[in-house]
Amino acid sequence: MHSRRPVLESHLKENPHVPIRRNRLLPVLVGTLTVVLASAATAHTSTLWIQGQVLDPSGGPVPGATVTLTPEDKSFERRSRTGEAGRFRFGELGPGAYRIIASSRGYRSADRSLRLPKDATKELRLTLQTDPSLTIYERIMVVGDPERADELPGSAHIIGPMELKRQKQGLDDVHRMLRQIPGVNIQEEEGYGLRPNIGMRGTGVDRSSKITLMEDGVLIAPAPYAAPSAYYFPTPGRMRSLEVRKGSSQIKYGPRTNGGVLNLVSSEIPHALSLDGKLGFGSDSAGQGHLNLGGTHGNFGWLLESYQVKTDGFKELDGGGDTGFYIGDYLAKLRFQTPLDARVFQQFEVKLGSTEQDSEETYLGLTDDDFAVNPNRRYAASQADRFDSNHRQYQARYFVALPGGLDVTTVAYRNNFARNWFKLQSIAGNSISRVFGDPDAYAGELAIARGADSDPDTLKVRANNRRYYSQGIQSVLGLHRHLGDAQHRFEFGFRYHEDQEARLQHEDGFRMSGGRMNRTSFGAPGSQSNRLSDAEARSLFVQDEIRWDRWTVIPGIRYESIGLTRTDFSRTDPGRTSPTRIRTNDLQVVVPGVGVNFDASQKVRFFGGVHKGFSPPGPGSNEFTEAENGINYEFGFGLGQPGSSAQLVTFYSDYGNLLGADTLAAGGQGTGDLFNGGEARVVGMEASISFDPAASSQAGFSLPVQISYTVTDGEFRNAFDSAFGPWGNVLVGDKLPYLPRHQFYASLGVRTGKWNAGFDTHWGSSMRTVAGRGRAPLLQRTDAYAVLNLSSEYELSKRASLFANVQNVTNNRYIVARRPAGVRPGLPRLFMAGIHFRRGRKR
């Protein structure tokens, strides 16, 4: 039987204007009785509720905790945020079994199973227990607590495990996964995302070299300071989540702070013995296998993981042959820790990884005329092109949590990467970028590329043989203090880092005969490039997250001391006995920033920030080369309530100097020389919204909707002549190349007890490929395009489910780039289907 007192109090609270006099008390009691009887009469339909309080171990309330409610069939999910008294309430519920989970920063989650209407009138008390191990994730993740990402004074996004699982379609292209995040700029290349081109807020996209790229909070580009171009990129298919952070609060990560940071979070060690697996097969003889086995036994945990993916490729090579790739990725983790209730909690984790890639990829594109006939064609002159690489990573992390709110996280790391991209460099002495930049003027060379006979050594294929290492140690000290009415979360960080790129490149000569390439000469090792590029960097940062009343302020400052050295050797000295030239460049920089968040109400917040943008020059810089620098501003507001959220952000980046680099990927000669672009500005807006129109109903299913939109405008603010191809002769007001003005993403899901299905679409406007103004000429722009993807999954049992997905359902044909040499197509229709299976239990 329902209690009358809470109903009466609720009635009075909802009708505060009613004066309480004796002659009006009877109608109030009659109204109250009516409400009680109505509740009893409909208790088996849709007027049930669940309410309670979230408490800490001492019995005090936990404000701001996230409480999640799901029915037994998981047909929908509802969330609530506790108030100052730690209270929560879910109404308009039907009879049935439910699970409720409470979580908050620094605590282990608490959960409870209940059944309505039996438990409808019970006051639930969910007590959270402290868990010092959770603080580790705050140190290795750039967003921190995923449940509180919307409270950060800046633009922060996380694609969590459930959403990332849905996004893992086709062959797990990271470009596709990131489409939903506003403010992320993408330029596709080979259709699979093997060597991603990612920028943020108008930074360059070339090989993701203008963003800070990390795995588990550790720099992961081949040589982050000396050669940041991401010819190695962590395998997205084995990741647990992806994080993107832009704005002022990302300065603590560095070294690149103009755009933002992308952190890929690897699989965690399960809390109980479990086995997760995935097998898939699809178009173009595609195959995919993922196995994750691990568990925790007392104070010891372990994980073994393998991820394999292959395809014969969608491009059609003249004369026949594969155009696909194979990736084999292996990961192992071992963890030792003290009991969670130890006075001084300690944890030590070792992570070992190995990745192999073998891909028949090329820099050779098509002419517009050939693209119109068959966009998937690949010329005969690319038949020898092949990319081989191997990557090894070693990490050891130690964490200690001391009494008094103090913790220290220290990571020692080493990454080794070797790659050799054997690919067509020139035809009859002319680089392929020159030939395909003006195919009419090089008709003879174009005919040879298509398979016409040639003389010996007419085709030059370069072995772009490079080796990299990066190593270092980084430590973060965290301190939590209450000073007056404010909470302070201090972070003090230090990193010592070294990295190197070693080039030892040569070219072999070929002739074309009957459409087949035959080797006619062998180049000597180092005869095309023989040099070392080294970097040594020391960085410090201090940050304080201050929470007071409805305000959150995060001031921070970063200091970098960087030493860059480029050592050139004679091309006839593969043993590197004596350098021919040594160039050094030392610089120090201070990068300050501050972000502010104001909670106007429980549903509305405003935030903004300003920080210095910085990107170091490479070892190829000279006395005239400046670091990339600027001042970045953002302002936005967010709306949030159970079941929906929205955010609108405007940003402005005022560059004092923009840097360009001569790379083969950008259509250059691959010298690595740097070019000052001078002053530039980028302005834009990011909007996103997510909601579930079925969340408040008892329909037995959910309809999650997500929409994002980005508009960006970037232009040079000074005139200059540049030998950097994408810039050329620049006038004031010329637009930046490879920066789409409009980007749009939308997704709709349908989730029932056993069926999950969804579609998503992304649309992008055309991009200039060369700086300029007005509408770009046909041969200096990419296509505007829209791509539709479908996915579905059916749960056979608690241990297995079937999945199927289709990318580019309409088989849209479009140009994604005109570099490195010629036009390149987007991914055509791709179908994948398979099975997920699991044994044991993950928590």
Side-chain angles (χ1 to χ4, degrees), residues 472-506:
I473 186 168
Q474 62 187 41
S475 189
V476 178
L477 183 151
L479 179 63
H480 186 198
R481 283 286 183 269
H482 287 271
L483 301 177
D485 295 331
Q487 297 183 49
H488 292 259
R489 291 183 180 271
F490 298 99
E491 284 188 304
F492 307 88
F494 167 78
R495 179 172 67 209
Y496 174 77
H497 176 92
E498 299 175 348
D499 61 49
Q500 182 187 84
E501 177 201 48
R503 296 190 181 195
L504 192 68
Q505 303 179 174
H506 70 271

Side-chain angles (χ1 to χ4, degrees), residues 691-709:
F691 60 95
D692 184 351
S696 60
S697 70
Q698 302 301 313
F701 60 88
S702 62
L703 296 170
V705 177
Q706 185 172 350
I707 300 171
S708 65
Y709 170 70

Side-chain angles (χ1 to χ4, degrees), residues 148-156 245-250 545 547 552-555 594-598 605-610 634:
R148 306 182 77 91
D150 59 353
E151 297 179 15
L152 294 171
S155 179
R245 195 159 177 176
K246 307 183 292 288
S248 61
S249 54
Q250 50 97 11
E545 179 183 309
R547 293 179 179 267
T552 300
V553 181
I554 305 183
V594 62
V596 179
N597 183 86
F598 174 68
R605 73 184 184 105
F606 295 90
F607 60 89
V610 57
E634 72 172 354

